[in-house]
Amino acid sequence: MGIRNERLRWQLVSGVLRKLHLEPLTERYSHRAVMAGFSFVNGTISIALISFLALLTQEAFIFPSLGATAFILFHVPMAQAASPRNTLCGHLIGALMGFASLYLFGLYDAPSAMTDGVTLPRVGAAAVSLGATGFLMVWFRVPHPPAGATALIVSLGLMHQIEQLPVLMAGVLLLLFKAFVFNRLAGLAYPVWSGRSSRATPVSTPDPA
């Protein structure tokens, strides 16, 4: 499985480089250097675009767990956890469980843990939000590890208003849109909704003349 994932990652990188006519990079630099550089550039561009939108609108389109999601979407794009279904449902479950834990422990209007410190109710909210998120992701078969961080972001009070949920999910959608375009451009059969990592096959794209 590790070798197969490595081949898919290399196909993604080489596909993008071919589209941009940058194939000489694969001859000049080592495999590891090209892969690391690709991760740097792609992660930087992905988060910069969403952050810039947040700057323009002054809305919380960007939040910490998107960083982990971006890494998964572009490092192991054909994994089930990287599919749009798992990514969207995972973050939605994490956010909802975070909000539910705030209400359960009477913390909806309380200052964040970064401001007020960690209290016993905050401990309970964080623990329940993460546990419930894990339970529901497994139950509904939509595991997406970064969603656990989303649950903690909400339950720790960093995003504590339910009105922020649509903006939070819009940030996820923006990142998924970029992943879809970028991965398809590279020739990978990145799914529209639910991935099938065990059967994924590349999209056949003609070589440039």
Side-chain angles (χ1 to χ4, degrees), residues 23-183:
E23 304 99 316
L25 289 176
T26 61
E27 300 173 0
R28 183 174 181 179
Y29 299 103
S30 69
H31 182 95
R32 179 181 296 181
V34 172
M35 294 290 288
F38 176 81
S39 182
F40 171 78
V41 171
N42 201 53
T44 300
I45 293 175
S46 298
I47 300 304
L49 288 174
I50 299 176
S51 298
F52 187 68
L53 181 61
L55 174 65
L56 291 178
T57 62
Q58 292 301 300
E59 296 286 352
F61 284 101
I62 189 72
F63 51 97
S65 51
L66 275 189
T69 292
F71 185 80
I72 289 177
L73 292 181
F74 297 104
H75 191 61
V76 284
M78 302 309 295
Q80 184 68 28
S83 69
R85 175 176 180 266
N86 286 47
T87 303
L88 275 175
C89 293
H91 280 295
L92 181 60
I93 288 172
L96 290 176
M97 292 306 98
F99 287 121
S101 71
L102 291 180
Y103 280 106
L104 180 63
F105 289 90
L107 295 170
Y108 185 72
D109 294 319
S112 74
M114 304 300 106
T115 301
D116 205 35
V118 177
T119 61
L120 280 177
R122 190 68 72 180
V123 171
V128 169
S129 68
L130 185 58
T133 296
F135 173 84
L136 290 175
M137 286 196 298
V138 172
W139 183 265
F140 290 110
R141 298 178 181 176
V142 288
H144 184 70
T150 298
L152 291 179
I153 289 167
V154 176
S155 62
L156 291 175
L158 301 180
M159 296 181 73
H160 63 278
Q161 297 178 350
I162 193 67
E163 293 82 4
Q164 295 175 299
L165 179 60
V167 177
L168 184 151
M169 295 309 299
V172 177
L173 280 170
L174 287 171
L175 189 57
L176 278 171
F177 177 75
K178 181 180 181 297
F180 180 85
V181 172
F182 206 78
N183 289 322

